[in-house]
């Protein structure tokens, strides 16, 4: 039994509602008892005119110094540490999974956001020696589109921790809804190939980042930096084969017109300075002829004014009528396309052309699984967040059907039922030190989705053989996919989120190429021995001691990763500092 007695856990919550006319309503309510959970709900009709709604459960409170933690949906754990500055951590819209976890000396609960998850701010406050977690639904300017439903699941015994929370989420929202990787791979040879062999991303060309020209035109557009031509790509393929990596999926990044993000939504023709369309087609045939799977990196969600296809009428509008353009990248100010427009105007013809070029494998369509769904207030094509999430699914599904499978950047699970591979689940979960109310990272996403979506755990885990053990061991700890990237550090500043220039794969010289192939060979060898773990679910993750973690998978396989500077012992085996050991099932 995973649920504690609901009679014992009769709980209340403080409610605060702010209306658009300025009125404020505050009251206390009891959660309603239901079959295995406690319920809070408000009908859609009663949400009209609500700007914000706060729910502060009475169980989501702890004293500084208490045992336990809050766990946010991004996996970041806040422990109830004493003697640290007062602070508020807010996570608005950025909910990879629709859950918030609470474990205190009084009990353990999993809060499930049935609706409005991307209109939600989860707040963790440390003040006056107390910790409190509040759910704040921010509905200003939003036409209500669903009943507001929050379910609270009490957890008990061995299930009363983040591993139990993850298993429960998987049982409720994944099992029976998404086919396991093993079943899908049996029916899809492109997917099986991508799971069983390394992912190698090849960044070929890009414009300077940060850009010196934020508002680009055809006249002032910076020149494209060329690193790897299509002919050089063929040489990389040959070097991989000679270096003992006979199979891998190659993802070409920046192959498109004007390089990485060059003039999106314009994709074609292939960048002429790389060799143009004839050289690309030759490259694709060469790679496939040598036994490699090859796919393109595209992005169908962004639009730049320098593009021949830029049209303000295609853009997503914020509720106040402004453009959603808060990001500046290599091609200047990035505007968000309305997902409906993107799907109907760009996605399908682009994928038809990519298929005609000969690309086959897991197509990579950037961003869709690492940001919340893009809403749109454009009167010509309005979308609420629920509708936008459905278009994100359709966009990824189109690529999967035409190219062979689909990958995207992160692990947001509104697209989980169509996503095969997540390039990385988190950008910041593998930091060696945390600050403020971020104390550690819990792999709750992996507990939920390992065995259903394969992934590289963190952005810094890419190119792991050339990085410190604190980064590299995460591949083994979470049973993840070796992923590599030529020129991952492409920015001119220090904000390279995937890697640094001192820990990167390069190929300008033969020596650099040989070293890069040697690193990839380590990932290839790892998959030959341990790649089967990707098909398993992660059932438990726990600290055996400070800096020593044990992961238990569904067939009984265990991995123990020792991040400490001392030898540890487990099941009669000594594990050296900064190393790992695997205990295979039945051995």
């Amino acid at each position: 039994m995973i649920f504690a007695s609901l009679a014992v856990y009769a709980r209340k919550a403080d409610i605060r509602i702010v209306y658009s006319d300025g009125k404020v309503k505050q009251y206390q309510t009891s959660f309603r008892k239901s079959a295995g959970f406690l319920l809070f709900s408000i009908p859609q009709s009663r949400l009209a005119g609500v700007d914000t709604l706060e729910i502060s459960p009475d169980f989501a409170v702890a004293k500084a110094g208490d045992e336990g933690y809050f766990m946010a949906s991004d996996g970041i754990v806040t422990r109830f540490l004493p003697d640290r500055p007062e602070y508020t951590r807010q996570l608005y819209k950025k909910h990879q999974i629709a859950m918030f976890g609470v474990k205190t000396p009084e009990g353990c609960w999993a809060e499930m956001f049935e609706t409005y998850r991307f209109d939600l701010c989860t707040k963790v406050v440390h003040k006056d020696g107390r910790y409190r977690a509040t759910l704040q639904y921010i509905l200003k300017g939003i036409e209500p589109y669903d009943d507001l439903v929050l379910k609270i699941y009490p957890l008990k015994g061995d299930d009363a921790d983040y591993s139990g929370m993850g298993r429960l989420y998987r049982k409720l929202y994944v099992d029976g809804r998404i086919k396991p990787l093993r079943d899908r791979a049996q029916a899809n040879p492109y997917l099986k190939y991508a799971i069983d062999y390394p992912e190698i991303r090849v960044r070929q060309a890009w414009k300077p980042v940060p850009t010196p020209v934020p508002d680009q035109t055809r006249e002032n557009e910076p020149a494209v930096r060329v690193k790897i031509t299509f002919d050089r790509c063929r040489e990389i393929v040959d070097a991989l084969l000679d270096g003992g990596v006979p199979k891998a999926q190659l993802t070409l990044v920046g192959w498109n017109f004007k390089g990485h993000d060059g003039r999106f939504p314009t994709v074609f023709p292939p960048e002429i300075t790389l060799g143009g369309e004839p050289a690309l087609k030759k490259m694709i045939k060469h790679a496939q002829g040598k036994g490699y799977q090859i796919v393109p990196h595209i992005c169908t969600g962004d639009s730049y004014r320098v593009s021949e296809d830029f049209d303000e009428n295609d853009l997503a509008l914020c509720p106040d009528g402004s453009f959603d353009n808060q990001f500046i990248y290599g091609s200047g100010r990035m505007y968000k396309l309305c997902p409906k427009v993107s799907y109907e105007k760009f996605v399908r013809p682009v994928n038809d052309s990519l298929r005609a070029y000969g690309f086959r494998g897991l197509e990579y369509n950037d961003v869709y699984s690492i940001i919340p769904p893009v809403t749109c207030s454009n009167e010509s094509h309005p979308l609420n967040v629920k509708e936008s999430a459905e278009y994100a699914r359709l966009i990824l599904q189109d690529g999967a059907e035409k190219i062979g499978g689909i990958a995207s950047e992160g692990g947001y699970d509104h697209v989980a039922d169509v996503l095969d591979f997540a390039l990385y689940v988190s950008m910041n979960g593998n930091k060696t030190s945390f600050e403020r109310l971020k104390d550690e990272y819990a792999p709750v996403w992996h507990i939920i989705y390992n065995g259903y979506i394969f992934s590289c755990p963190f952005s810094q885990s890419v190119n792991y053989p050339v990085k410190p053990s604190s980064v590299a061991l995460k591949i083994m700890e979470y049973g993840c996919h070796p992923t590599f990237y030529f020129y991952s550090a492409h920015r001119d500043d220090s904000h390279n989120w995937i890697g640094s220039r001192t820990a990167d794969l390069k190929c300008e010289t033969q020596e650099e190429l040989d070293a890069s192939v040697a690193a990839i060979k380590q990932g290839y060898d790892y998959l030959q021995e341990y790649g089967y773990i990707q098909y398993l679910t992660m059932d438990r993750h726990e600290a055996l001691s400070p800096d020593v973690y044990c992961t238990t998978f569904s067939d009984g396989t265990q991995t123990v990763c020792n991040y400490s500077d001392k030898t540890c012992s487990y099941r009669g085996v000594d594990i050296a500092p900064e190393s790992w050991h695997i205990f295979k099932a039945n051995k």
Side-chain angles (χ1 to χ4, degrees), residues 17 54 72 86 117 135 163 217 234 237 247 270 277 281 294 317 347 350 358 406-407 457 495 542 558:
I17 304 175
E54 291 188 356
E86 295 181 348
R117 64 182 279 195
L135 305 180
S163 292
T217 65
R234 300 205 319 272
V237 166
K247 293 182 184 296
E277 183 175 302
K281 290 183 175 179
I294 184 166
L317 295 182
V347 170
V350 164
I406 199 68
H495 300 299
E542 58 191 327
Q558 288 187 313

Side-chain angles (χ1 to χ4, degrees), residues 91-93 95 113 116-121 135-137:
L91 194 64
Y92 177 43
K93 290 189 176 182
H95 302 299
F113 320 140
Y116 292 95
R117 64 182 279 195
F118 293 118
D119 301 306
L120 175 63
C121 172
L135 305 180
Q136 183 183 52
Y137 293 86

Side-chain angles (χ1 to χ4, degrees), residues 14-166:
D14 293 326
I15 309 298
R16 185 175 186 271
I17 304 175
V18 179
Y19 294 92
S20 54
D21 61 4
K23 293 181 179 179
V24 178
K25 181 180 181 180
Q26 298 187 78
Y27 63 98
Q28 189 177 78
T29 188
S30 296
F31 291 107
R32 298 199 303 275
K33 299 175 185 178
S34 190
F37 59 88
L38 303 173
L39 175 68
F40 176 86
S41 64
I42 297 180
Q44 177 179 337
S45 60
R46 288 176 51 196
L47 294 174
V50 172
D51 275 5
T52 60
L53 183 151
E54 291 188 356
I55 305 173
S56 299
D58 62 359
F59 59 79
V61 179
K63 299 190 301 291
D66 279 351
E67 291 293 321
Y69 49 81
F70 296 141
M71 188 196 69
S73 59
D74 58 356
I76 296 298
V77 168
T78 300
R79 294 200 174 271
F80 309 130
L81 302 180
D83 304 324
R84 65 174 169 189
E86 295 181 348
Y87 191 73
T88 298
R89 180 180 189 243
Q90 299 188 80
L91 194 64
Y92 177 43
K93 290 189 176 182
K94 298 181 179 180
H95 302 299
Q96 281 192 326
I97 58 174
M99 178 174 70
F100 186 90
V102 176
K103 181 175 175 62
T104 72
E106 191 177 352
C108 183
W109 295 266
E111 303 175 357
M112 304 296 187
F113 320 140
E114 291 285 315
T115 58
Y116 292 95
R117 64 182 279 195
F118 293 118
D119 301 306
L120 175 63
C121 172
T122 54
K123 294 169 56 177
V124 174
V125 179
H126 172 228
K127 187 176 182 180
D128 298 330
R130 289 169 63 83
Y131 289 81
R132 180 154 200 149
T134 296
L135 305 180
Q136 183 183 52
Y137 293 86
I138 302 175
L139 306 178
K140 183 177 181 179
I142 295 173
E143 185 71 26
Y145 55 87
D146 221 331
D147 294 344
L148 191 150
V149 180
L150 173 68
K151 294 181 179 179
I152 312 293
Y153 290 84
L155 296 161
K156 187 178 180 182
D158 289 341
D159 295 298
D161 58 15
Y162 62 78
S163 292
M165 296 172 194

Side-chain angles (χ1 to χ4, degrees), residues 222-240:
V224 174
R225 294 176 177 174
V226 174
K227 280 292 183 181
I228 304 177
T229 64
F230 296 129
D231 288 347
R232 184 58 169 163
C233 279
R234 300 205 319 272
E235 294 173 352
I236 291 174
V237 166
D238 295 340
L240 288 168

Side-chain angles (χ1 to χ4, degrees), residues 171-188:
K171 177 182 178 181
L172 293 174
Y173 304 111
V174 179
D175 291 347
R177 298 187 180 188
I178 303 177
K179 287 186 178 180
L181 276 176
R182 190 179 301 279
D183 294 344
R184 303 205 312 273
Q186 288 178 351
N188 183 349

Side-chain angles (χ1 to χ4, degrees), residues 61 135 150 272 345 374 381 402 416 431 433 501 525 574:
V61 179
L135 305 180
L150 173 68
I272 189 65
K345 185 175 180 179
V374 177
H381 38 78
K402 292 174 180 175
K431 291 181 179 178
S433 63
R501 289 179 174 80
D525 291 343
D574 290 337

